C-alpha cells in the first residue's frame, strides 16, 4: 500500500512568488493534516481536513495560506505571496478514522526555501 | 503557556547500551502521548502510544513510561544499535492534532 506522498520534494522561490504544495493521503483516509517545521523549531500543526471539510484551521499563520481538499482526496496548500519566514518543511499526514487516538501517517515533506 | 520540552542536545551512546530520552510538558493534561522517529529527509514515523492511565508500554526493544503527576514521559531503547540513530519526537494529542516537542537526536556508535 502506498504511503502519504507529497510533491514537490523541494521548492526554491523568491519572496512574493506563489507556491502550491500537494499531498496525496493514504487511500481511504478521511483525515488529512498539514504541519510545518521552521528552522530550529518544533513541528507545528496548520490544519485538519475531514474529507473535504476543514475541521480545524487554527494553526494557519495568516491569510497568505490557502488549503483545499476538493473531492476529499488529495490536498493542496498554496502560499501567496510567499515571505522569507515561510521557509521550512511542510509535512502532510493522514489517518483513517475520527476517534482519537488515530495513528497519523506522515509524508516525506516538502522543503520550501523562500529567497 | 503550553510547552513540550525535549533535550535539545544530542544523545550519544555506545551500541548495546540503553538510551533514555525525556519529554516534559507543562500546562497540558493529555489523555495520550506518542513517540515518533524521524530520519533525515523523511517524515515522522509513529512508534508507540501510551494512555494517561497506563504507566508503561513496551514494544520489542522500546519502552515508554508516562507519569502524569510529574508531567513527564521517558522513552527507552534497550540494546541500542547504530540503526537506532535518528531524531525521536514526543507528541501530545490535543483533540485532533499533534503537539510536538523539538525532538532529541540519538547517535548510537559501534
Amino acid at each position: 500500500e502506498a504511503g502519504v506522498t507529497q510533491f514537490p520534494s523541494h521548492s526554491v522561490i523568491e519572496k512574493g512568488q506563489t507556491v502550491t504544495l500537494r499531498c496525496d493521503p493514504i487511500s481511504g483516509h478521511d483525515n488529512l493534516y498539514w504541519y510545518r517545521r521552521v528552522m530550529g523549531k518544533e513541528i507545528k500543526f496548520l490544519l485538519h481536513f475531514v474529507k473535504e471539510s476543514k475541521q480545524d484551521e487554527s494553526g494557519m499563520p495568516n491569510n497568505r495560506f490557502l488549503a483545499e481538499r476538493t473531492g476529499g482526496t488529495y490536498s493542496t496548500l498554496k502560499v501567496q505571496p510567499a515571505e522569507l519566514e515561510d521557509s521550512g518543511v511542510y509535512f502532510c499526514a493522514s489517518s483513517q478514522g475520527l476517534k482519537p487516538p488515530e495513528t497519523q501517517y506522515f509524508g516525506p515533506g516538502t522543503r520550501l526555501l523562500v529567497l | 503557556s503550553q510547552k513540550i520540552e525535549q533535550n535539545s542536545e544530542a544523545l550519544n551512546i555506545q551500541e548495546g547500551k540503553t538510551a533514555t530520552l525525556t519529554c516534559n510538558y507543562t500546562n497540558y493534561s493529555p489523555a495520550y502521548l506518542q513517540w515518533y522517529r524521524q530520519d533525515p529527509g523523511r517524515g515522522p514515523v509513529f512508534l508507540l502510544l501510551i494512555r494517561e492511565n497506563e504507566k508503561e508500554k513496551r514494544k520489542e526493544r522500546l519502552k515508554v513510561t508516562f507519569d502524569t503527576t510529574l508531567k513527564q514521559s521517558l522513552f527507552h531503547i534497550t540494546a541500542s544499535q547504530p540503526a537506532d540513530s535518528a531524531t525521536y519526537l514526543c507528541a501530545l494529542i490535543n483533540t485532533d492534532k499533534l503537539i510536538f516537542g523539538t525532538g532529541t537526536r540519538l547517535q548510537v556508535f559501534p
Side-chain angles (χ1 to χ4, degrees):
Chain A
E1 180 184 312
V4 176
T5 57
Q6 293 186 245
F7 183 83
S9 60
H10 295 79
S11 181
V12 181
I13 61 172
E14 292 188 350
K15 175 183 171 180
Q17 289 186 321
T18 297
V19 63
T20 300
L21 314 181
R22 174 172 168 142
C23 168
D24 286 78
I26 293 172
S27 177
H29 281 194
D30 287 339
N31 296 285
L32 189 149
Y33 306 82
W34 283 98
Y35 292 86
R36 176 175 76 169
R37 182 174 206 159
V38 297
M39 181 78 79
K41 297 285 185 78
E42 68 275 18
I43 297 172
K44 283 194 171 176
F45 169 82
L46 295 179
L47 89 158
H48 170 207
F49 283 100
V50 177
K51 297 185 182 178
E52 67 275 7
S53 300
K54 290 176 185 173
Q55 180 78 13
D56 181 351
E57 51 185 330
S58 60
M60 293 288 264
N62 51 60
N63 59 10
R64 294 185 295 103
F65 289 75
L66 175 64
E68 294 180 324
R69 192 182 183 195
T70 307
T73 54
Y74 71 91
S75 174
T76 58
L77 179 64
K78 182 161 72 172
V79 186
Q80 178 182 31
E83 298 289 344
L84 300 180
E85 64 265 25
D86 300 333
S87 296
V89 184
Y90 290 76
F91 292 104
C92 175
S94 71
S95 69
Q96 192 163 25
L98 279 176
K99 182 182 176 184
E102 290 286 334
T103 297
Q104 294 186 23
Y105 298 87
F106 282 78
T110 293
R111 281 141 192 82
L112 174 65
L113 179 60
V114 183
L115 301 175
Chain B
S1 63
Q2 297 172 323
K3 193 184 291 186
I4 302 171
E5 292 183 331
Q6 295 184 254
N7 193 341
S8 58
E9 292 182 12
L11 178 63
N12 298 307
I13 65 166
Q14 191 172 24
E15 182 176 12
K17 302 290 185 185
T18 295
T20 298
L21 286 68
T22 304
C23 174
N24 294 295
Y25 58 92
T26 56
N27 297 324
Y28 282 110
S29 296
Y32 314 96
L33 185 146
Q34 296 182 333
W35 282 87
Y36 284 78
R37 170 184 173 140
Q38 187 175 20
D39 291 284
R42 301 198 172 208
V45 175
F46 171 77
L47 295 174
L48 277 169
L49 174 143
I50 188 164
R51 291 172 167 77
E52 61 178 341
N53 60 352
E54 296 175 319
K55 291 273 191 271
E56 182 180 296
K57 199 82 168 278
R58 291 175 186 260
K59 179 182 175 184
E60 298 173 351
R61 294 183 297 110
L62 309 181
K63 184 178 86 171
V64 172
T65 63
F66 193 10
D67 189 325
T68 56
T69 301
L70 291 179
K71 295 186 180 294
Q72 180 181 80
S73 175
L74 298 179
F75 177 80
H76 306 270
I77 305 176
T78 57
S80 59
Q81 305 165 0
D84 295 326
S85 299
T87 295
Y88 291 87
L89 308 166
C90 74
L92 305 181
I93 299 177
N94 184 348
T95 57
D96 57 339
K97 53 185 172 280
L98 297 175
I99 313 295
F100 282 95
T102 51
T104 298
R105 191 164 62 86
L106 172 67
Q107 184 72 40
V108 181
F109 55 92

